[in-house]
Amino acid sequence: MKLPIYQVDAFSNHLFGGNPAAVVLISDQWPTDDVLQKIAIENNLAETAFFQKRENRYQLRWFTPEFEIDLCGHATLASAHIIFTELHDKGDKIYFDTVSGELVVTKKEGLLQLDFPSRMPEEAIMEKSMLKAFSIKPKEIYKSRDYMLVFESEIEIRELVVNSSMLSASDFGKGGIICTAQGDEADFVSRFFLPGASVFEDPVTGSAHCSMIPYWSEKMGKEKMVAYQLSERMGYLECTNRGDRVLIAGNAVTYLKGEIMIE
């Protein structure tokens, strides 16, 4: 079995920025889940996306090196980028069928725009042992799929130090921890951490914005916003609140393409 593979830097307009994702095309029979998981482990990126065309739609799945995940923004953006640029899809919309339902990616003003479900977080309590892992105390704590910690300012997000060992030792389960605040130049900024994962700080996390967009939209009274994810690689996202849906737009750049050979 030979599988085309691509690597894409998502939410960036230049190489070595944004969040790298592997994208694998399944043209015939799907490999077993065990093989898909091993490919994700071998790639050793935050996510590997697998997609297969079915008439005018695509089935899409995402795997971290640890497990299959229910929603991933940057790997969806990367998959759409490959379909448009390498598979030369002539339309301006791509329809994905996923475990999170139908996801649509649209070409819009030079960007690729994701249409994702909104995940408004609710007030929550985090265990004191987990909070001790953060060098700065958040002013508010929320949770949807991920915990969301709200801080006073962008400088706190930039200067935040997180003890990965303390978090990884906790019984955390799936999901991650969003750290966010109002931005100085952007409307809001964030960083995203995954306790126990091979990539502890994710460079740019589209799915985390499914919670931040409705939260900040309500707080700021704005429908359209710009967001920066303040990782070392940086990410730029144009965000729109649509009630039960959120729109997340960004760029993507192809880094490499090749072939996986499986006996």
Side-chain angles (χ1 to χ4, degrees):
M1 181 184 294
K2 295 182 179 180
L3 302 174
I5 183 170
Y6 307 87
Q7 188 168 318
V8 176
D9 291 338
F11 294 114
S12 175
N13 62 3
H14 61 275
L15 286 178
F16 313 120
N19 200 352
V23 178
V24 179
L25 168 62
I26 309 296
S27 56
D28 193 8
Q29 184 177 351
W30 279 83
T32 64
D33 286 4
D34 179 63
V35 170
L36 298 179
Q37 187 65 70
K38 286 178 178 176
I39 292 172
I41 293 169
E42 191 78 5
N43 290 336
N44 199 31
L45 295 170
E47 271 86 17
T48 296
F50 299 89
F51 73 86
Q52 183 180 61
K53 187 169 186 178
R54 295 184 173 180
E55 296 181 354
N56 62 340
R57 306 173 69 86
Y58 295 86
Q59 183 181 5
L60 176 65
R61 299 173 69 183
W62 313 275
F63 283 76
T64 74
E66 289 76 33
F67 47 74
E68 185 172 9
I69 197 168
D70 67 339
L71 187 65
C72 179
H74 82 281
T76 302
L77 188 74
S79 299
H81 169 75
I82 291 301
I83 292 170
F84 282 129
T85 61
E86 297 293 333
L87 304 187
H88 306 293
D89 190 292
K90 301 300 182 183
D92 61 359
K93 287 190 177 184
I94 295 173
Y95 297 87
F96 290 112
D97 294 316
T98 78
V99 293
S100 291
E102 179 185 81
L103 303 178
V104 183
V105 182
T106 305
K107 286 182 180 179
K108 186 176 182 182
E109 299 175 358
L111 302 177
L112 295 180
Q113 181 176 267
L114 310 174
D115 183 340
F116 271 22
S118 176
R119 290 176 166 175
M120 184 66 166
E122 298 180 353
E123 288 189 47
I125 297 173
M126 180 178 276
E127 293 180 12
K128 291 183 179 179
S129 60
M130 293 173 62
L131 277 174
K132 289 180 180 178
F134 297 87
S135 63
I136 302 171
K137 184 179 179 180
K139 65 176 184 177
E140 298 172 13
I141 302 174
Y142 297 87
K143 195 176 190 305
S144 53
R145 180 194 70 178
D146 310 304
Y147 278 101
M148 190 176 84
L149 311 185
V150 180
F151 291 81
E152 289 286 353
S153 64
E154 177 174 321
I155 192 64
E156 288 192 349
I157 300 297
R158 290 184 181 275
E159 294 181 348
L160 184 65
V161 177
V162 184
N163 187 315
S164 61
S165 298
M166 291 179 67
L167 286 178
S168 299
S170 63
D171 184 17
F172 191 79
K174 294 184 180 181
I177 301 173
I178 305 163
C179 297
T180 185
Q182 281 193 253
D184 296 334
E185 296 181 5
D187 291 292
F188 63 90
V189 297
S190 66
R191 291 169 67 190
F192 187 78
F193 302 94
L194 287 159
S198 56
V199 180
F200 177 61
E201 181 171 357
D202 196 44
V204 193
T205 318
S207 60
H209 288 74
C210 293
S211 296
M212 286 186 282
I213 291 171
Y215 172 85
W216 286 115
S217 177
E218 183 177 282
K219 286 285 186 180
M220 303 173 73
K222 297 178 72 172
E223 181 182 273
K224 294 185 178 181
M225 298 166 288
V226 170
Y228 293 154
Q229 191 153 331
L230 302 178
S231 65
E232 184 177 345
R233 295 174 64 104
M234 281 291 293
Y236 172 85
L237 308 91
E238 295 187 5
C239 307
T240 305
N241 186 29
R242 286 280 191 261
D244 62 345
R245 308 291 295 182
V246 296
L247 306 179
I248 308 167
N251 295 107
V253 184
T254 303
Y255 171 65
L256 65 80
K257 51 185 175 180
E259 195 171 62
I260 301 171
M261 293 174 285
I262 301 173
E263 293 183 358

